[in-house]
Amino acid sequence: MYLKRPTVGLVFCFFYLASYFTNKYVLSVLKFTYPTLFQGSEVLSWLPASVLYVGIIYAGSRALSRLPIPVFFTLHNAAEVLSCGIQRCTQKEKISPAKIWSALFLLIAAGCLPLHDAQFDPDGYFWAVVHLICVGSYKAFRKSMKSSIISDLDQQYINYVFSVVLLAFASHPSGDLFSALEFPFLYFYRFHSGCCASGLLGFILMLTTVKLKSSLSSGHYASWSFLAKVITAGLSPFFFNITLNAPTISCLLLGAFGEALLVYADRTG
């Protein structure tokens, strides 16, 4: 698989890996699962996407705190099935056979995974489902707004500002504010350094993602994104606990194959 812009792409892969590993450390090792942003007439039209973005980071942080990274990625990738379904129903978009097969493999992998996961966590899977619904809806909405004059960078800026406002107001009624104040590692340097590193890495990853998307076709960007996920998922068992058995590995590999087929469909389409 030929990859363009290797320098920017490799930088993207590095910060993708570093960002996910840092977030996983803060969420799972330190167990700080309360909402944070690093997990980050035209403006008004983009607000529905910003609401979905808040759902993505909130549900995603909850799911990632309870699920191993490879499992989280497999469930996250199933959002493509929802995205394709929404586009097919609302925009009558023609879907290639490769994408249909890809969606089928992703759906089977995500559906069978909880049945064979030795570390099955009901709450983790619940938040993962909420996360993938938000991701799929966000992708579909973003594609429907492709003629918008709002740049990718401006979209992220709006998302971040909206997230700050909404999460700040929601932290009190949801109880997250008081729970965060009782966090046992609140005054430990490990927590402060982890949060600062996570925020900085997330911001740099966002900038690198925007740069990569602006300089490459969607198919080539998907190739780099797939490579970053494979590297991150492949190295994560060496740093974080995960119990694997043959059926679970089969589901993870099927999900990876489904995403690879999706990348192929994007590049050839």
Side-chain angles (χ1 to χ4, degrees):
M1 181 171 58
Y2 176 67
L3 296 171
K4 293 183 177 179
R5 301 300 296 269
T7 302
V8 179
L10 290 174
V11 170
F12 167 77
C13 289
F14 170 78
F15 283 109
Y16 192 95
L17 169 71
S19 179
Y20 263 96
F21 272 27
T22 306
N23 285 345
K24 182 65 176 173
Y25 173 77
V26 173
L27 292 166
S28 292
V29 179
L30 297 182
K31 300 187 183 302
F32 187 82
T33 60
Y34 312 106
T36 52
L37 294 181
F38 45 84
Q39 298 164 23
S41 58
E42 286 291 330
V43 173
L44 290 176
S45 67
W46 184 254
L47 288 184
S50 295
V51 174
L52 291 171
Y53 179 80
V54 175
I56 290 171
I57 61 175
Y58 186 87
S61 65
R62 294 283 186 175
L64 188 60
S65 70
R66 294 175 172 272
L67 301 176
I69 290 177
V71 173
F72 176 79
F73 280 167
T74 302
L75 298 172
H76 170 89
N77 291 340
E80 192 63 36
V81 179
L82 178 61
S83 176
C84 289
I86 293 176
Q87 292 172 67
R88 183 71 179 88
C89 295
T90 59
Q91 302 179 33
K92 307 300 180 183
E93 180 179 305
K94 186 177 180 181
I95 302 176
S96 66
K99 270 196 172 183
I100 294 176
W101 280 107
S102 170
L104 181 62
F105 291 144
L106 292 173
L107 192 59
I108 292 175
C112 292
L113 192 55
L115 302 177
H116 304 286
D117 187 358
Q119 295 173 286
F120 177 76
D121 186 307
D123 289 338
Y125 275 90
F126 168 77
W127 286 112
V129 170
V130 176
H131 173 75
L132 75 86
I133 290 174
C134 291
V135 171
S137 302
Y138 181 89
K139 286 184 175 182
F141 184 86
R142 194 170 185 274
K143 287 184 178 180
S144 70
M145 294 281 291
K146 59 186 176 182
S147 61
S148 172
I149 63 173
I150 302 177
S151 67
D152 288 346
L153 196 59
D154 288 339
Q155 290 173 5
Q156 290 301 318
Y157 176 75
I158 296 171
N159 287 343
Y160 279 21
V161 171
F162 186 83
S163 300
V164 170
V165 175
L166 186 59
L167 291 176
F169 279 103
S171 62
H172 185 273
S174 67
D176 286 329
L177 176 61
F178 297 107
S179 297
L181 293 176
E182 297 173 357
F183 181 61
F185 297 108
L186 187 62
Y187 300 105
F188 282 57
Y189 79 93
R190 287 185 299 161
F191 170 66
H192 296 156
S193 58
C195 284
C196 290
S198 187
L200 179 61
L201 290 170
F203 179 72
I204 297 175
L205 175 62
M206 182 270 291
L207 295 179
T208 309
T209 301
V210 171
K211 174 65 175 177
L212 200 61
K213 282 184 175 181
S214 64
S215 58
L216 295 176
S217 66
S218 60
H220 280 94
Y221 167 74
S223 298
W224 279 113
S225 180
F226 174 68
L227 178 61
K229 286 181 183 178
V230 169
I231 294 173
T232 304
L235 292 178
S236 65
F238 296 101
F239 298 90
F240 304 102
N241 179 52
I242 179 173
T243 303
L244 295 173
N245 51 41
T248 300
I249 293 175
S250 299
C251 290
L252 298 178
L253 292 177
L254 182 62
F257 177 74
E259 187 175 11
L261 188 58
L262 180 64
V263 172
Y264 171 79
D266 285 341
R267 293 191 61 165
T268 58

